Amino acid sequence: MSYVLGIDLGTSSLKGILMNKAGQVIAEASAEYDIDSPAPGFSEQHPEYWVVACEEVLTRLSIEVTDFGAELEAISFSGQMHSLVTLGDEDTLVYPAILWNDVRTTKQCQEIMDTFGETIIEITKNIVLEGFTLPKILWLQQNKPEVWAKVRKIMLPKDYLAFILTGNMHCEYSDAAGTSLFDIEKRDWSVAICEKFAIDMSILPPVVSSVEQVGVVNASYAKRFGLQREVKVFAGGADNACAALGAGVVNEDYALVSLGTSGVFSSFEAEISNYKGKLHFFNHVIPNANYSMGVTLAAGNSLNWFKNTFGKGLSFAELLADVYTVAPGSEGLLFTPYIVGERTPHIDSKIRGSFIGIDTRHELKHFARAVLEGITFSLKDAQVLMEEAKNKKFKQIISVGGGAKNADWMQMQADIFNAEIIRLEVEQGPGVGACMIAAVGNGWFEDFEVCRNIFVQYKDATFTPREENVQKYEQLYDVYTQVYPATKSICSNLTDFNK
């Protein structure tokens, strides 16, 4: 039986998922690692952590699956986006990787947008934010010039791991698109951006398609893990692109809503769109395609905060047990989930959350339902931008994460998004997308549409919009959109007051 391996290099752990041609998960393994924070706002990792974790995962799989070494044919990757890996002479690491969630670069982001903002948006289709790679480079130039002088190559995390396995350096379109250095339309590094910010283009790796073979597992690793075949390695993709692929979003009929600590609403884009920074827009792992993405900074985090603050001692099931008894709109109570600032469509670090409309009849169940509705409204902001740009409605929306575990919340999503909501039979995250890249690259399937039909399975239950609820939520969403402009200056003043 032949296998492909998807390696998902995340922020706090590396996961490996082994799948066969029938789309069955044969085995999984994971290994955790630390995030270093040597100063406030700093978030770093030593790339050696990822290598050790990958070796641990390969060891576990080779022990657990008796024919792992004989039947593994291909490997591909999903990786955390934006994080900066710097190599010097003889490909040695010269500085810890600066991660996507590092926020030391606010000054550099402002400098970029003030001096080159309109051009950056036109080339990259995105506003430059602290998470992206370009401001990290500027930070090194300005604060660690002795380190920057040693840099001979820059890489992204999953590509560094592929380099360790194969000895070859590369990047691919979906990850390059998140660096603020990449021309989305030309699918190549931007000469204009590199010249503007004194970046020698020789330090940038060649860019390839996600399904392109970038090498084979080197002899040392092959011997160590008993690999009997020449195991092909394919470029892989950015984690959000792989997550969408692994959920089956392979054309414009479908969208993905992911409710983790943060929330993501993403969709496939066949053509180039420019949302002027209100949405993220990146090249996809699917050849010649793109995807757009809206982000709510505190989705599941809002629910966690609410539970920990007002529902101590309750499980999530207990906290949400009675929300079905509350009518849509929570009897006039509205929540905005801006508890750590917001990303889409308001890039605003000072905005804060609010409950609007509290009165004496409201109980815990009203507040709980309002939190779920507010989180979903925040993701609807992205849906509205996408559907208006496409001039079409999504046929179905695939819900993953915490929001897919609660039937009442699933129905709210159907009513608020006014679309059919479906769930995956088994959620494996972006690792499945990495497996699909390896499978298509290895020639198992003609394209991702065919692969999707084998690798992605959905639960039979579909949540359909209830017309009476849709109408109520359309009216309430109009009210929701009024809260941000009404509270923006108040929240800014409060933030400044508490400094």
Side-chain angles (χ1 to χ4, degrees):
M1 185 178 293
S2 300
Y3 302 136
V4 291
L5 174 63
I7 295 175
D8 177 25
L9 195 167
T11 309
S12 58
S13 68
L14 183 142
K15 302 172 184 176
I17 178 169
L18 194 69
M19 301 183 74
N20 64 16
K21 284 186 178 180
Q24 297 170 320
V25 175
I26 303 303
E28 301 174 67
S30 64
E32 296 182 350
Y33 35 74
D34 294 329
I35 298 174
D36 301 323
S37 184
F42 284 36
S43 183
E44 299 178 351
Q45 273 169 349
H46 291 279
E48 292 94 335
Y49 296 171
W50 311 328
V51 177
V52 170
C54 183
E55 292 172 347
E56 185 176 334
V57 163
L58 289 171
T59 298
R60 290 182 185 176
L61 291 173
S62 67
I63 294 171
E64 181 178 344
V65 182
T66 56
D67 59 352
F68 176 82
E71 299 298 339
L72 181 63
E73 292 188 4
I75 296 174
S76 193
F77 307 89
S78 162
Q80 52 165 295
M81 297 178 69
H82 315 306
S83 304
L84 175 65
V85 179
T86 48
L87 303 181
D89 291 332
E90 299 181 357
D91 303 325
T92 56
L93 295 159
V94 298
Y95 197 77
I98 305 177
L99 302 188
W100 64 273
N101 56 355
D102 186 289
V103 293
R104 75 184 75 176
T105 58
T106 301
K107 173 178 173 288
Q108 286 73 30
C109 290
Q110 191 66 52
E111 175 187 335
I112 293 166
M113 294 308 297
D114 285 347
T115 61
F116 211 55
E118 289 187 11
T119 304
I120 283 275
I121 292 175
E122 185 62 32
I123 295 172
T124 71
K125 313 305 179 195
N126 293 284
I127 288 174
V128 177
L129 301 173
E130 284 87 348
F132 289 15
T133 317
L134 174 59
K136 304 180 197 308
I137 291 174
L138 265 63
W139 186 89
L140 280 179
Q141 289 176 343
Q142 296 168 6
N143 294 274
K144 298 285 184 180
E146 72 285 1
V147 172
W148 182 249
K150 297 178 182 177
V151 174
R152 299 293 177 266
K153 288 290 181 185
I154 67 169
M155 303 187 76
L156 293 159
K158 74 175 194 319
D159 305 326
Y160 177 75
L161 196 55
F163 165 63
I164 294 298
L165 290 180
T166 67
N168 300 325
M169 288 189 184
H170 72 281
C171 188
E172 50 72 44
Y173 300 129
S174 69
D175 235 356
T179 61
S180 296
L181 291 164
F182 199 67
D183 189 314
I184 296 289
E185 293 188 66
K186 294 180 179 178
R187 292 177 174 259
D188 203 355
W189 301 114
S190 169
V191 174
I193 295 173
C194 289
E195 288 181 347
K196 173 66 178 179
F197 297 105
I199 298 169
D200 186 337
M201 295 190 72
S202 68
I203 72 171
L204 302 173
V207 189
V208 301
S209 167
S210 295
V211 294
E212 184 165 328
Q213 183 179 342
V214 295
V216 297
V217 174
N218 64 47
S220 174
Y221 277 112
K223 181 179 180 181
R224 180 172 174 181
F225 300 108
L227 305 181
Q228 297 175 27
R229 305 181 186 220
E230 187 176 72
V231 178
K232 299 175 183 177
V233 178
F234 296 91
D239 54 4
N240 284 304
C242 286
L245 176 62
V249 183
V250 297
N251 59 50
E252 291 188 323
D253 288 336
Y254 303 92
L256 174 70
V257 59
S258 175
L259 287 155
T261 301
S262 60
V264 172
F265 193 103
S266 64
S267 72
F268 181 96
E269 302 258 0
E271 306 294 334
I272 295 291
S273 298
N274 191 344
Y275 293 101
K276 304 295 184 183
K278 289 187 176 181
L279 292 172
H280 296 312
F281 188 87
F282 302 121
N283 299 124
H284 212 317
V285 295
I286 299 172
N288 302 313
N290 314 285
Y291 70 102
S292 55
M293 185 174 75
V295 177
T296 293
L297 291 180
N301 193 21
S302 290
L303 186 58
N304 286 333
W305 162 79
F306 179 74
K307 175 181 174 293
N308 293 335
T309 306
F310 300 106
K312 285 182 174 159
L314 298 178
S315 67
F316 281 108
E318 292 168 333
L319 181 72
L320 304 178
D322 295 327
V323 297
Y324 76 96
T325 67
V326 180
S330 303
E331 295 190 34
L333 184 61
L334 190 64
F335 172 73
T336 57
Y338 307 145
I339 60 174
V340 294
E342 192 51 303
R343 179 71 61 82
T344 302
H346 318 293
I347 299 176
D348 190 339
S349 62
K350 292 184 177 182
I351 194 66
R352 289 296 179 265
S354 56
F355 282 105
I356 303 289
I358 303 172
D359 68 28
T360 55
R361 64 186 164 162
H362 291 136
E363 304 172 16
L364 181 66
K365 62 184 180 181
H366 296 90
F367 285 91
R369 184 175 183 109
V371 170
L372 300 184
E373 291 174 338
I375 294 167
T376 311
F377 281 141
S378 72
L379 291 161
K380 185 177 178 67
D381 283 337
Q383 178 199 16
V384 169
L385 286 169
M386 293 173 191
E387 290 189 336
E388 287 180 349
K390 299 171 188 289
N391 194 29
K392 63 173 289 186
K393 285 183 61 62
F394 295 115
K395 178 181 176 182
Q396 287 183 319
I397 296 174
I398 302 155
S399 184
V400 300
K405 294 181 174 67
N406 182 282
D408 295 315
W409 198 356
M410 287 289 289
Q411 187 59 53
M412 286 181 219
Q413 292 175 57
D415 295 337
I416 290 173
F417 296 137
N418 191 17
E420 287 188 353
I421 307 294
I422 58 176
R423 294 179 286 183
L424 294 169
E425 189 68 45
V426 179
E427 283 189 31
Q428 299 290 352
V432 170
C435 282
M436 292 171 70
I437 292 170
V440 172
N442 198 41
W444 284 8
F445 304 101
E446 181 182 354
D447 56 33
F448 284 114
E449 290 269 6
V450 178
C451 184
R452 172 188 187 265
N453 295 333
I454 304 298
F455 273 53
V456 185
Q457 303 298 322
Y458 302 102
K459 293 181 182 294
D460 291 335
T462 298
F463 293 81
T464 57
R466 297 170 179 169
E467 185 57 37
E468 66 275 17
N469 293 348
V470 170
Q471 293 178 11
K472 291 177 182 177
Y473 279 130
E474 285 179 351
Q475 295 173 0
L476 189 60
Y477 177 68
D478 287 339
V479 178
Y480 173 87
T481 60
Q482 298 171 36
V483 178
Y484 174 78
T487 60
K488 175 178 169 60
S489 62
I490 295 172
C491 291
S492 179
N493 291 338
L494 286 172
T495 300
D496 292 341
F497 177 78
N498 285 310
K499 280 184 177 178

